[in-house]
């Protein structure tokens, strides 16, 4: 098996159904560690983009990670995005961030399964906290760590989730720029 570095690693994805009052919503969460290598400089690009926000969108658990929450109610409503725990509002200042998320999710959705790499140290020490940010995955699911991890690190699910987030982002940008 050939492993190619792609500017990302340690990706995970989960879908959660929640409610906003009585309105059911889907929350899709994609978490990925950004890196710089010969095939991509996602980490440097992200840091450069968010520098204009004063670092507001840095991940508080690990500055190399990007945690994207995408909320949708139905196909007719514009979605909402949270980046690393902070609401990402549709403003001209944030357009480069939305562009970055679009490029990242498109890249992830097209990656070959062999290019998804999860480091043992990440799986042991960070994965239980990385995906949900505000709580441990094992506690939220009431499942023992590390047994709860496998289904959230599957390349096919991550790719599908990234594609859905990308589609929601496109819808949001169409609404914003109209």
């Amino acid at each position: 098996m050939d492993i190619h570095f792609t500017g990302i690693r340690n990706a995970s994805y989960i879908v959660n159904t929640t409610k906003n009052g009585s309105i059911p919503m889907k929350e899709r969460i994609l978490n990925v560690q950004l890196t710089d290598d010969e095939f991509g400089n996602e980490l440097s690009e992200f840091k450069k983009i968010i520098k204009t926000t004063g670092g507001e969108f840095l991940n508080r658990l690990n500055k190399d990670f990007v945690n994207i929450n995408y909320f949708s109610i139905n196909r007719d409503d514009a979605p909402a995005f949270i980046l690393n725990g902070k609401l990402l509002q549709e403003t001209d200042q944030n357009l480069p961030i939305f562009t970055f998320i679009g490029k990242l999710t498109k890249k992830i959705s097209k990656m070959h399964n062999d290019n998804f790499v999860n480091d043992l140290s990440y799986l042991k020490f960070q994965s239980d906290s990385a995906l949900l940010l505000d709580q441990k995955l094992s506690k939220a699911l009431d499942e023992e760590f590390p047994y709860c991890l496998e289904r959230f690190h599957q390349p096919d699910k991550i790719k599908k989730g990234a594609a859905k987030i990308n589609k929601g982002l496109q819808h949001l940008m169409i609404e914003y720029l109209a």
Side-chain angles (χ1 to χ4, degrees):
M1 166 179 23
D2 292 328
I3 300 292
H4 302 283
F5 295 102
T6 58
I8 68 160
R9 56 192 315 113
N10 298 320
S12 57
Y13 174 77
I14 190 172
V15 177
N16 186 23
T17 302
T18 70
K19 285 191 174 192
N20 184 3
S22 62
I23 302 170
M25 294 182 4
K26 273 202 175 174
E27 176 185 20
R28 300 175 188 283
I29 306 171
L30 174 68
N31 188 61
V32 63
Q33 183 178 11
L34 304 177
T35 63
D36 290 336
D37 59 43
E38 64 183 280
F39 297 102
N41 292 315
E42 278 75 8
L43 180 59
S44 294
E45 184 181 342
F46 179 68
K47 286 182 177 180
K48 181 179 175 185
I49 289 168
I50 65 164
K51 197 174 201 178
T52 62
T53 69
E56 176 183 4
F57 293 105
L58 273 177
N59 187 303
R60 68 181 184 272
L61 298 177
N62 185 325
K63 63 181 176 39
D64 296 347
F65 276 81
V66 170
N67 189 286
I68 303 164
N69 295 53
Y70 159 61
F71 293 90
S72 60
I73 297 171
N74 63 48
R75 290 187 178 120
D76 299 325
D77 292 322
F81 283 85
I82 294 178
L83 179 62
N84 289 330
K86 302 279 186 180
L87 180 63
L88 183 59
Q89 296 182 339
E90 306 89 58
T91 64
D92 289 349
Q93 179 186 2
N94 289 338
L95 284 178
I97 299 172
F98 282 110
T99 300
F100 175 83
I101 292 171
K103 286 175 26 182
L104 180 66
T105 53
K106 185 175 183 178
K107 180 178 187 171
I108 292 170
S109 71
K110 296 185 181 302
M111 282 176 54
H112 191 275
N113 286 6
D114 290 343
N115 290 336
F116 283 86
V117 176
N118 288 306
D119 300 316
L120 184 58
S121 63
Y122 158 77
L123 291 171
K124 280 183 167 181
F125 303 113
Q126 293 180 328
S127 60
D128 197 24
S129 300
L131 188 57
L132 298 181
L133 282 182
D134 60 343
Q135 61 181 320
K136 290 189 179 283
L137 187 60
S138 57
K139 185 175 181 178
L141 299 174
D142 196 26
E143 292 182 31
E144 200 171 315
F145 179 81
Y147 306 107
C148 62
L149 295 179
E150 184 179 342
R151 67 181 180 265
F152 304 111
H153 293 87
Q154 296 176 3
D156 286 331
K157 289 182 180 181
I158 295 166
K159 290 177 358 180
K160 279 183 179 180
K164 288 184 186 236
I165 291 171
N166 188 278
K167 188 175 180 178
L169 179 68
Q170 289 177 22
H171 178 70
L172 180 78
M173 288 294 98
I174 289 169
E175 293 290 319
Y176 176 71
L177 297 171

